[in-house]
């Protein structure tokens, strides 16, 4: 969340791919454990967010990016490391998972 502070402030720097990029509040409130938009990445940029890659490149990622969260135990669960390697995951999840061995394509 762009205005986070205190214990919420760390959420400005880290997040996960279960919540959609720029997930609105509502329908999912900021404080809903693991699902809330405060758990994912967000930005004040219209239509997406800027991300820095490991090589130092900065890329704009649109909030319309393919988002398919897979967890073997169903929606609302954390998922496991094995779940992050599932080929059903969307492009957003693949970009935010390291060492998953999955190809990222713009299909």
């Amino acid at each position: 969340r762009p205005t986070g502070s205190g214990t919420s402030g760390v959420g400005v720097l880290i997040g996960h791919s279960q919540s959609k990029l720029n997930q609105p509040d509502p329908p999912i409130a900021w404080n809903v454990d693991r699902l809330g938009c405060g758990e994912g990445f967000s930005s004040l940029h219209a239509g997406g967010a800027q991300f820095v890659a490991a090589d130092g490149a900065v890329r704009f990622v649109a909030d319309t990016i393919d988002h398919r969260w897979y967890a073997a135990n169903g929606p609302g669960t954390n998922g496991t490391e094995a779940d992050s390697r599932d080929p059903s995951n969307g492009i957003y999840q693949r970009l935010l998972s390291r060492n998953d061995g999955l190809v990222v394509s713009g299909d």
Side-chain angles (χ1 to χ4, degrees):
R1 132 172 80 169
T3 59
S5 62
T7 58
S8 298
V10 78
V12 175
L13 302 174
I14 61 172
H16 58 72
S17 64
Q18 187 170 0
S19 302
K20 290 183 177 183
L21 179 60
N22 289 332
Q23 177 70 50
D25 173 17
I28 301 175
W30 281 101
N31 61 352
V32 176
D33 189 33
R34 297 185 314 273
L35 291 175
C37 50
E39 293 285 321
F41 291 99
S42 63
S43 172
L44 295 177
H45 291 91
Q50 298 279 4
F51 283 84
V52 177
D55 65 359
V58 177
R59 301 279 189 262
F60 182 81
V61 176
D63 56 16
T64 56
I65 189 169
D66 176 40
H67 179 281
R68 284 178 280 140
W69 170 259
Y70 173 82
N73 294 323
T77 60
N78 277 331
T80 65
E81 187 175 338
D83 293 339
S84 71
R85 293 182 175 91
D86 189 277
S88 300
N89 286 331
I91 293 172
Y92 186 59
Q93 285 70 28
R94 291 179 185 200
L95 286 172
L96 294 175
S97 296
R98 63 182 184 144
N99 300 328
D100 60 9
L102 299 174
V103 175
V104 176
S105 69
D107 296 347

